[in-house]
Amino acid sequence: MVLGRTLAVALVGLRGHVVEVEAHLAPSLPAFTLVGLPDAALAESRDRVRAAVSSSGLAWPQRRITVNLSPATLPKSGSTFDLAIAVAMLAGAEAVDPLRAVGVVHLGELGLDGRLRPVRGVLPAVAAAVAAGHPRVVVPRGNLAEAQLVPGAQAIGADSLAEVAAGYGADVEVPDVVPVAAEHASSAPRPGLDLADVIGQPDARQSLEVAAAGGHHLLMVGPPGTGKTMLAARLPGLLPDLSEADAVEVTAVHSVAGTFDPGEGLLRRPPFEDPHHTATPASVVGGGSGVPRPGAASRAHRGVLFLDEAPEFTTAVLQTLRQPLEHGELVLHRAAGAARYPARFQLVLAANPCPCGKAVGKGLGCTCRSEQRRRYFGKLSGPLLDRVDLQVELGPARPGGEAGERSAAVAARVAACRAAQAVRLSGTPWRTNAEVPGAWLRARLGADRSLTTELDRAVDRGTLSLRGVDRVLRVAWTLADLAGRDAPARTDVGQALLLRTRGHGA
């Protein structure tokens, strides 16, 4: 009796765990038992594997088959284990050379006809296998390009179970099959969006540049047609390219979410996510049965999460954003386990001044009652808005207004500002001013306490919280970086306070 062994990878969040797949075949009544804490989708692999083996021209062993996924205490989910289970079972039956399958990682879902179907999360799974010392990986051909993005991986693509079995010495005919292509949805910003397309709105343009330069969150309030959506969609074009480490991390998130196209290589540009206001909390922050999947907030990691008509989102959705805004990651707990996903994004909120959108100027055209206005903006709670650094009010745009600078010119200033921050924050865990704790910034303001006099007055008036003071200082440092100064001046602090408190959210 031979014990068939091979390897697979279980993903919990973005963290991959190498799983040993063991198959024991006993001379008893035919049965198939799968153990090792599988979820419902994984438990169904018994039927998929049985049908795929028979369709591939391989004999199904008439014995009692027990497949163990070790470590047994680790939650395992999805159909990614199908190929590994089939190979381990065939190795235990000596239909393939059992020694050649040992130490090889197998990833892929099996169709009933024996074809290999692409699966999600191949990039982080292969990266985990290589890091654990198992560079040899067999994946569906539709995932091969994605697997080859991992340095050091010896990835092999296959179209069918018969092809994999033949590679391990099985006497089986490899049929000509049409490979199953992976389906991917793109979340990248639409091409050709330039800031010059926005007419007028100089204050909003300045706020957008400051937000891009320091990684700050932004709220824009204004009547319909003032360019809020256009401005938000152009923010990713002002951001610098992702670093190599960020590109791998962002790509891994999109691989798990199923929104990554491996034909274009690693995601080098900051992502842009704009969920509809009818989105559920699970679709925004992540969720699902079993081990939760990443939502829009994680897919926007190192990019922009835009909530248009923000007060129309449910309170549950808006409140769930407070954790990632503060910590830069999401921890999703379920009965099957907890998953961590990175979620350090720039939040951009857009809102009308009232439900009808006409409460501008004297508000003579507004038909909303006072309680309707309060209820409308009441969705944007104080704790949420307290985490938004920039709050700007947009007025109606005038026809024939002048177009502003192009995105390329603004992006160059943003890149120079980010470079200055990188030098100042070298050796710290922070990258942008928006991430730096207030105590660290205050310690570098110098002995001139008059810089914060205006902030102290705002706190005394109750228009600014202590958290708000820290966020004003972060914006002040960004304004100083844009101006080429080593530290904020009093004018920078005053302008940062104005950028925070002149909007409706103040």
Side-chain angles (χ1 to χ4, degrees), residues 77-91:
S77 62
S79 57
T80 309
F81 292 85
D82 287 4
L83 180 59
I85 292 171
V87 170
M89 189 274 299
L90 293 173

Side-chain angles (χ1 to χ4, degrees), residues 115-355:
R115 287 189 298 172
L116 275 177
R117 300 181 182 277
V119 292
R120 297 179 177 183
V122 165
L123 180 67
V126 173
V130 172
H134 304 287
R136 296 175 58 203
V137 184
V138 178
V139 299
R141 199 171 303 279
N143 291 129
L144 181 58
E146 182 177 349
Q148 290 175 336
L149 294 175
V150 179
Q154 302 171 15
I156 300 172
D159 293 322
S160 65
L161 175 61
E163 184 179 347
V164 176
Y168 290 136
D171 184 15
V172 62
E173 181 181 353
V174 179
D176 293 330
V177 299
V178 179
V180 182
E183 296 182 2
H184 303 284
S186 175
S187 62
R190 295 176 293 276
L193 299 182
D194 197 287
L195 199 56
D197 298 335
V198 182
I199 303 299
Q201 305 297 1
D203 291 342
R205 289 171 176 274
Q206 181 200 25
S207 299
L208 201 69
E209 180 176 344
V210 174
H216 304 288
H217 307 305
L218 173 64
L219 166 67
M220 294 182 288
V221 180
T226 53
K228 302 185 296 295
T229 304
M230 292 182 67
L231 286 162
R234 282 150 181 79
L235 178 56
L238 307 182
L239 302 177
D241 290 340
L242 300 176
S243 66
E244 189 69 23
D246 286 344
V248 172
E249 188 176 37
V250 170
T251 304
V253 173
H254 285 257
S255 175
V256 173
T259 58
F260 169 55
D261 184 358
E264 299 180 359
L266 293 176
L267 296 176
R268 302 287 182 179
R269 293 294 303 153
F272 180 77
E273 292 287 335
D274 55 344
H276 192 261
H277 61 78
T278 57
T280 63
S283 67
V284 174
V285 300
S289 60
V291 178
R293 296 278 185 188
S298 292
R299 296 196 303 271
H301 179 58
R302 297 298 176 189
V304 177
L305 176 64
F306 175 47
L307 302 186
D308 199 3
E309 304 293 343
E312 298 293 345
F313 282 80
T314 64
T315 303
V317 170
L318 296 173
Q319 294 307 313
T320 52
L321 294 176
R322 288 163 58 179
Q323 182 196 34
L325 288 178
E326 198 69 30
H327 303 292
E329 71 171 358
L330 279 161
V331 184
L332 305 173
H333 293 271
R334 297 293 185 272
R340 290 179 179 269
Y341 291 111
R344 190 167 294 282
F345 52 83
Q346 284 186 249
L347 177 65
V348 179
L349 304 172
N352 293 325
C354 65

Side-chain angles (χ1 to χ4, degrees), residues 482-499:
L482 284 170
R485 289 188 283 272
D486 295 332
R490 191 165 182 174
T491 55
D492 295 323
V493 176
Q495 186 178 3
L497 182 60
L498 182 64
L499 286 172

Side-chain angles (χ1 to χ4, degrees), residues 424-506:
R424 183 172 62 252
L425 301 176
S426 177
T428 72
W430 315 300
R431 305 186 190 183
T432 62
N433 290 330
E435 304 174 25
V436 182
W440 194 91
L441 295 175
R442 286 193 297 272
R444 283 153 180 79
L445 285 177
D448 185 7
R449 307 313 302 170
S450 64
L451 287 173
T452 59
T453 300
E454 197 170 350
L455 300 182
D456 295 337
R457 293 173 181 167
V459 173
D460 293 338
R461 292 193 302 268
T463 59
L464 200 63
S465 67
L466 293 179
R467 181 193 286 122
V469 170
D470 290 345
R471 294 190 174 274
V472 169
L473 289 177
R474 293 172 181 175
V475 176
W477 276 91
T478 300
L479 292 171
D481 290 335
L482 284 170
R485 289 188 283 272
D486 295 332
R490 191 165 182 174
T491 55
D492 295 323
V493 176
Q495 186 178 3
L497 182 60
L498 182 64
L499 286 172
R500 180 177 176 81
T501 59
R502 67 184 173 188
H504 257 256

